[in-house]
Amino acid sequence: MMIKNERQYRITKAQVSRFENALRETSTRQSGEAKPSLIEKAQTDALSSQLADLKAQIAEYEALRSGKVTVFRADSFGDLPAALIKARIAAGMSQKDLAAELGVKEQQVQKYEATDYASASFDRLRAIIRVLGVQVREEISLTARHA
């Protein structure tokens, strides 16, 4: 999952705090025992894994928001939506800002991004690319057909 706006960023930061507290509580309970059970070990591992994922999402969002990241790789057409969302964040634009530039409501941009632009027309994608100032380098290759 990717953080797409400030609201999600705040929610994810709050989740990190909850997971860190839960991990501390679990570690405190286990420290009094000679050896944690397999269930307790699995619980700790799951909390640690989820915490790492959340922190990685926050780090990615903060790096994008800082404007330091300016190149976004899309190895397929399916990768384009995530690249556009990252480009919007890196450009310092909120979903509301993008909506205003496109002449649509903020909720429309939220819907586009929540569904990875599934309902956006090709013309709308071109408009988004133009507004964001994104340069797209295309390479189309034909894969071998199976007989």
Side-chain angles (χ1 to χ4, degrees):
M1 188 172 151
M2 178 172 71
I3 298 172
K4 298 176 182 176
N5 56 48
E6 286 295 312
R7 181 179 174 275
Q8 290 177 353
Y9 175 70
R10 288 189 306 274
I11 290 168
T12 304
K13 293 219 24 137
Q15 287 176 322
V16 164
S17 294
R18 286 194 295 276
F19 273 91
E20 286 174 337
N21 289 337
L23 197 54
R24 268 192 300 277
E25 289 174 15
T26 301
S27 296
T28 301
R29 276 195 316 267
Q30 291 175 4
S31 66
E33 301 172 13
K35 184 177 177 185
S37 70
L38 287 177
I39 292 173
E40 290 168 332
K41 172 90 170 90
Q43 191 177 33
T44 300
D45 290 348
L47 287 169
S48 296
S49 175
Q50 186 65 36
L51 182 59
D53 289 345
L54 293 171
K55 286 182 174 183
Q57 290 174 32
I58 288 170
E60 177 186 45
Y61 185 78
E62 289 174 344
L64 289 169
R65 196 174 57 179
S66 75
K68 293 176 184 172
V69 181
T70 59
V71 176
F72 314 97
R73 186 174 180 105
D75 292 323
S76 70
F77 193 71
D79 294 340
L80 183 62
L84 290 176
I85 294 166
K86 289 176 181 181
R88 175 188 57 75
I89 295 166
M93 293 183 82
S94 66
Q95 290 171 327
K96 184 176 185 176
D97 296 334
L98 179 57
E101 290 287 330
L102 294 170
V104 300
K105 294 183 178 181
E106 179 181 3
Q107 291 81 4
Q108 183 62 55
V109 172
Q110 290 170 346
K111 179 181 175 185
Y112 284 152
E113 291 188 358
T115 62
D116 289 331
Y117 288 98
S119 63
S121 68
F122 188 73
D123 283 342
R124 177 64 73 199
L125 290 173
R126 286 180 26 196
I128 291 165
I129 288 167
R130 179 186 47 75
V131 166
L132 294 175
V134 171
Q135 180 183 15
V136 178
R137 295 189 185 117
E138 308 89 9
E139 180 180 288
I140 298 173
S141 60
L142 187 61
T143 58
R145 288 197 245 179
H146 300 285

